[in-house]
Amino acid sequence: MKTSQPITKGVDYWTKRISDQEMPALCSTIRDLEKLAKDDVSSLASLGRSVMHDNALTTRILRVANSAIYNKGTSHVTTVSRAAVVLGFDTIRNICITAKLLTSLLENHNLSESVYRRLIKLMAHSFQAAMISRVMLKDYDEALREEVFIASLLYRIGESAFWSIGGQFVDHLDQALLVCDSTKQQKVVVREKLGTSFSQLTQSIARAWGLGDVLTTSLSHPDERMPEIRSIFLANEITDALNQPHINAEKLNELLTAAAEIQNISLAQCKARISRCAEATIRLAEDYGAIELVQHLPDTAEIISTLDKPEQTIESREINLVLQLKKLRELTELAIQKADFNQVVQTTLEGILDGVGVDRCSVMLLSPNRKQLSPRIAFGEGADKFKLELLIEMQGETNPFLYSINHKQADWIHEFDEREPDSLTSYVSANFDANQFKYGYMIAPIVVNDKAIGLFYADKHHSSRQITQQDFDSFCHLTQLANLCFGLAVH
């Protein structure tokens, strides 16, 4: 629903609206799962029946249940009820909640671009914190680790749920927060506009939905010394520190030291655990079908490795023919499987970034009216800023992006002459530095159902390198195979 007037309502109003009007499916699923948890006799069969009508949800649950994180060498499970027998009811219940939450929030297409970016980033940070908290309790039993994972994931459910509402009121608050100078000022603005804070809204939703004692305690008493509560607090603090534009090495080291203490391990061991956790986080996000989150996950291993060497420069990537071949084989297998769009995109971009050896690559998609083109997924150096700033108007006779779309043809723009910028500035958003095109770039159409819906993009701007013919040939090979996958998937 959309609100036309920005009227302050208070925590009870927003809790009821989110529960009854905006996210009733998620609210209902969580309540049903809590009821099933109290019924030992029929819970397993009921669990299977409660999700079987939702094919997409069932697919996600089974993919996660069979992932390396959860399936420790046991046989492949093909039903939700069987997965619950193998992994335990509590584990599958939490996988159900996570899958439903991601579906409810990430597939909301009624949001403005700015609000959607804010929501995706927030969810990525929540997912990362959930994984870190789970790793911090590595030596505890699985039930507690799962409870902490879901509590960390829902630690900011109030804020996430609010942004998912969409509409004029939400857009106005989003714009108001963008001009705030500090986090403290943002909290003041939120309280003025909503009549409550995001933290209070999360606590209210947690009580209304019956989200468990661990979450409610972590929200109301974050200073509790119990390992599960302490791990949730530290995981969120570490995640915030890792996602700052400028890393505060001293603060991050302090947080990691505290995390090492509650795990009773050395700081070096803790850093190694958190670094490995980053890889597992990406894999699990992919298993949940939440590829949108990946580009908002920081390069944790790189950040941690340079904590004591802040001046270290980033080396440019080099061509990797072995990895290229691996990704081409993976795309061939995806074509046979008729894999979904996100899997193909992920594999293609990995091949372009680390196989071709570019600095940055992206998938750009056309707006519904086909008049604008913008990056939706981006990997590599400066990816977040690239996504945030670049918007291309589909106009202009010299517009290579428009030409590639209209003619369904890959193109290699060798360089951009900054002395003659008019041809670019006429269709590229004003806040984007056109000099990022200075060393050239490669584009190739994304074709689905014989219709170009966007472009693959790649450049070497960060390392100030020119693109070569070999780069372009490899780029074309990967993108052509990706389009073959898209074509087979719809037939």
Side-chain angles (χ1 to χ4, degrees):
M1 291 184 63
K2 298 185 183 298
T3 303
S4 57
Q5 297 298 323
I7 302 172
T8 298
K9 295 290 186 179
V11 67
D12 291 338
Y13 166 81
W14 291 112
T15 300
K16 183 173 177 57
R17 176 171 171 178
I18 288 167
S19 302
D20 298 342
Q21 300 177 33
E22 306 299 343
M23 302 182 73
L26 176 62
C27 176
S28 175
T29 297
I30 291 175
R31 286 172 174 166
D32 288 346
L33 289 169
E34 290 301 320
K35 289 178 184 176
L36 292 178
K38 300 172 184 176
D39 184 355
D40 295 335
V41 177
S42 60
S43 59
L44 295 183
S46 300
L47 176 62
R49 289 195 299 271
S50 69
V51 300
M52 67 182 296
H53 63 281
D54 189 334
N55 291 332
L57 178 60
T58 300
T59 299
R60 289 188 181 193
I61 292 169
L62 292 176
R63 190 161 56 195
V64 173
N66 287 299
S67 69
I69 291 177
Y70 289 103
N71 195 322
K72 306 297 184 182
T74 59
S75 58
H76 190 86
V77 294
T78 57
T79 66
V80 173
S81 56
R82 177 59 185 165
V85 171
V86 174
L87 300 181
F89 179 84
D90 290 339
T91 297
I92 291 299
R93 178 187 59 186
N94 288 338
I95 292 175
C96 286
I97 292 173
T98 304
K100 193 68 177 179
L101 174 68
L102 293 172
T103 301
S104 300
L105 296 179
L106 300 182
E107 295 182 1
N108 190 334
H109 302 297
N110 299 317
L111 306 179
S112 67
E113 187 69 26
S114 178
V115 170
Y116 186 72
R117 282 198 302 268
R118 185 185 289 276
L119 177 60
I120 293 293
K121 189 173 183 179
L122 181 63
M123 283 305 302
H125 294 179
S126 295
F127 197 79
Q128 181 184 25
M131 286 294 287
I132 290 175
S133 64
R134 192 178 190 278
V135 164
M136 286 171 61
L137 296 183
K138 184 176 184 293
D139 298 325
Y140 289 77
D141 66 81
E142 189 66 21
L144 183 62
R145 296 179 73 200
E146 280 301 309
E147 196 170 3
V148 164
F149 175 91
I150 204 70
S152 296
L153 183 70
L154 299 172
Y155 197 72
R156 296 176 182 175
I157 183 63
E159 185 175 358
S160 300
F162 173 80
W163 293 120
S164 74
I165 291 173
Q168 194 176 67
F169 182 88
V170 173
D171 289 342
H172 284 164
L173 180 58
D174 172 56
Q175 295 304 309
L177 295 184
L178 289 175
V179 298
C180 289
D181 296 328
S182 64
T183 302
K184 182 178 180 181
Q185 186 181 358
Q186 288 181 340
K187 290 181 178 179
V188 171
V189 172
V190 168
R191 183 172 288 278
E192 288 177 351
K193 299 288 186 181
L194 270 64
T196 185
S197 66
F198 283 138
S199 177
Q200 289 174 326
L201 180 55
T202 293
Q203 292 183 53
S204 180
I205 289 176
R207 289 192 297 269
W209 294 8
L211 295 178
D213 294 338
V214 171
L215 176 59
T216 53
T217 302
S218 67
L219 291 166
S220 58
H221 298 90
D223 294 330
E224 284 276 357
R225 303 304 298 179
M226 292 185 295
E228 59 269 34
I229 305 303
R230 186 66 175 157
S231 68
I232 294 170
F233 171 78
L234 283 173
N236 276 276
E237 290 291 303
I238 290 170
T239 299
D240 285 343
L242 288 169
N243 284 280
Q244 293 301 315
H246 303 288
I247 301 299
N248 185 328
E250 183 179 355
K251 179 180 180 180
L252 185 53
N253 264 320
E254 288 177 0
L255 291 169
L256 292 172
T257 299
E261 288 175 358
I262 70 167
Q263 296 175 81
N264 197 28
I265 58 178
S266 68
L267 177 59
Q269 288 174 310
C270 179
K271 288 180 176 181
R273 278 189 183 182
I274 301 298
S275 295
R276 289 194 299 271
C277 176
E279 300 175 11
T281 303
I282 292 174
R283 289 198 303 272
L284 190 61
E286 293 169 353
D287 288 330
Y288 272 111
I291 192 173
E292 300 97 326
L293 303 184
V294 174
Q295 68 267 26
H296 291 292
L297 296 172
D299 190 343
T300 302
E302 176 69 20
I303 293 171
I304 289 177
S305 70
T306 58
L307 280 178
D308 301 319
K309 300 177 289 182
E311 300 301 320
Q312 185 178 15
T313 57
I314 302 174
E315 295 182 1
S316 61
R317 294 178 179 83
E318 299 296 334
I319 189 169
N320 186 330
L321 295 177
V322 173
L323 190 142
Q324 263 188 56
L325 182 58
K326 179 176 181 290
K327 293 303 173 182
L328 289 168
R329 287 173 174 166
E330 289 179 13
L331 284 172
T332 301
E333 183 63 28
L334 291 176
I336 295 170
Q337 296 173 359
K338 297 186 177 181
D340 63 32
F341 182 84
N342 287 339
Q343 287 179 286
V344 175
V345 163
Q346 171 83 14
T347 303
T348 306
L349 290 181
E350 288 173 351
I352 294 171
L353 185 68
D354 295 317
V356 180
V358 300
D359 294 340
R360 175 173 61 190
C361 61
S362 171
V363 160
M364 301 179 176
L365 296 180
L366 286 167
S367 60
N369 62 8
R370 300 181 66 83
K371 292 185 177 180
Q372 292 181 327
L373 183 74
S374 59
R376 294 300 179 88
I377 304 170
F379 292 168
E381 281 68 42
D384 286 348
K385 193 173 182 181
F386 185 71
K387 278 188 61 186
L388 185 66
E389 294 183 351
L390 181 58
L391 181 66
I392 302 165
E393 299 292 339
M394 290 288 94
Q395 62 185 24
E397 295 181 2
T398 60
N399 186 336
F401 299 93
L402 180 59
Y403 183 90
S404 182
I405 290 283
N406 288 342
H407 293 79
K408 300 177 189 173
Q409 180 178 312
D411 202 357
W412 166 18
I413 288 74
H414 292 254
E415 60 185 341
F416 159 57
D417 189 345
E418 56 189 312
R419 295 168 298 178
E420 300 177 4
D422 291 344
S423 61
L424 272 175
T425 56
S426 60
Y427 55 81
V428 173
S429 48
N431 63 333
F432 182 78
D433 180 8
N435 280 319
Q436 293 195 39
F437 295 135
K438 181 177 180 180
Y439 297 97
Y441 53 92
M442 301 178 286
I443 50 179
I446 299 171
V447 181
V448 177
N449 273 336
D450 202 36
K451 183 178 182 180
I453 64 168
L455 295 172
F456 286 106
Y457 171 95
D459 67 32
K460 292 184 174 182
H461 166 73
H462 181 75
S463 56
S464 305
R465 294 177 296 159
Q466 298 286 349
I467 291 166
T468 67
Q469 183 64 51
Q470 184 179 17
D471 295 336
F472 184 60
D473 291 342
S474 299
F475 174 78
C476 288
H477 195 175
L478 285 159
T479 56
Q480 285 167 0
L481 192 48
N483 281 325
L484 178 62
C485 292
F486 300 144
L488 292 172
V490 296
H491 290 97

